Amino acid sequence: MDFELGIDRSRSVKDAIESTGVPHTEVDLILVDGVSVGFGHLLMGGERVAVYPMFEALDVSALVRLRPRALRDPRFVADVHLGKLARHLRLAGFDTLWSNDWDDDHIVRESLAARRTILTRDKAMLRRREVERGYFVRATQSEEQLAEVVRALLLESLAAPFTRCRECNSLLEPVDKAQVLDRLPERVRNLYDSFRRCPGCGRLYWEGTHFARMRGIFDRLGT
Ligand SMILES: [Zn+2]
């Protein structure tokens, strides 16, 4: 999409881009008159600016990126409204922090402390100067949000279902069925043989309904 944008003289390319409503965290590559530049590059007027999104499935690796190719070891912090999405991501194996009482400042601190990508439906949070990694979630229904995030951030091949606790984000440990028999409902005892336990909160997991639903989401992504 091409359009003209009036600017104040000596405005940074970052400010100019954000004035169009695009948070800088969604930008991966900026070309000014065909040359790759950083966010601080000053515009004088008359330049042609091309802006490429983060995580676009388009190979621009030969050009200078603003960040290294991200998310080979993806970690997330989800905002207060995205608790269901956070649980889905954990079930898919992704390290995702979430709390229902974290304010924006806390979420940004968690992001910066461990290079976590902020997931939010609040563009104002992503426009904050200190934020380096963020993704604006467009979908409103939690399973659609999971599909959107997996697709947009190219996470499909990195999923590791049945490895992380959906409630506390801890990595699960295998546990012998014999050790947990007395904690299992009869139906589960009869149907499943493989179990894992959360060392954080003690919950037991087996490849039941939650995992079947999530597998369905991933299967539909492939079609
Ligand atoms: Zn747990």
Side-chain angles (χ1 to χ4, degrees):
M1 179 176 65
D2 273 15
F3 60 93
E4 297 223 342
L5 179 69
I7 55 161
D8 303 329
R9 190 158 282 274
S10 300
R11 190 174 190 190
S12 77
V13 71
K14 173 172 178 281
D15 288 346
I17 291 168
E18 294 210 317
S19 75
T20 68
V22 177
H24 71 273
T25 47
E26 296 238 337
V27 174
D28 193 26
L29 175 72
I30 305 169
L31 300 180
V32 173
D33 292 331
V35 177
S36 163
V37 301
F39 283 124
H41 181 86
L42 296 182
L43 297 176
M44 304 307 287
E47 299 95 332
R48 178 177 168 76
V49 179
V51 180
Y52 296 86
M54 195 76 168
F55 313 118
E56 179 81 355
L58 165 75
D59 186 10
V60 290
S61 52
L63 301 163
V64 177
R65 287 175 168 279
L66 295 168
R67 299 175 189 76
R69 191 72 185 154
L71 296 187
R72 289 314 85 188
D73 180 20
R75 290 185 290 269
F76 302 100
V77 53
D79 86 13
V80 66
H81 304 293
L82 296 177
K84 283 186 181 172
L85 172 61
R87 287 185 175 83
H88 292 328
L89 282 165
R90 290 169 180 167
L91 271 185
F94 296 110
D95 179 350
T96 308
L97 298 187
W98 175 82
S99 169
N100 63 4
D101 61 4
W102 285 353
D103 61 15
D104 289 3
D105 287 339
H106 190 115
I107 289 168
V108 170
R109 277 201 304 279
E110 294 286 354
S111 168
L112 294 176
R115 300 168 72 86
R116 290 177 180 275
T117 298
I118 296 172
L119 300 173
T120 182
R121 290 191 34 77
D122 175 9
K123 283 190 177 171
M125 174 136 67
L126 298 184
R127 286 200 192 96
R128 291 167 60 139
R129 186 171 297 273
E130 67 272 33
V131 169
E132 291 172 358
R133 288 160 185 261
Y135 178 75
F136 174 71
V137 180
R138 286 137 182 99
T140 52
Q141 193 272 338
S142 67
E143 289 187 1
E144 287 170 15
Q145 289 172 339
L146 174 66
E148 177 193 329
V149 169
V150 167
R151 192 182 286 124
L153 309 191
L154 308 174
L155 300 177
E156 262 165 294
S157 63
L158 302 172
F162 201 36
T163 58
R164 193 173 289 276
C165 179
R166 76 194 280 266
E167 298 304 325
C168 77
N169 199 42
S170 303
L171 284 170
L172 303 178
E173 295 171 343
V175 60
D176 283 344
K177 188 176 181 178
Q179 285 181 21
V180 294
L181 263 189
D182 57 335
R183 292 180 55 192
L184 302 176
E186 190 176 338
R187 187 186 61 84
V188 171
R189 206 181 299 167
N190 294 334
L191 275 176
Y192 302 99
D193 287 316
S194 174
F195 295 87
R196 298 200 183 175
R197 179 166 51 197
C198 173
C201 70
R203 278 183 176 77
L204 284 179
Y205 287 83
W206 54 90
E207 298 200 52
T209 327
H210 291 314
F211 290 95
R213 278 182 75 88
M214 204 185 47
R215 248 184 216 119
I217 293 172
F218 276 80
D219 287 349
R220 287 194 295 280
L221 278 174
T223 58

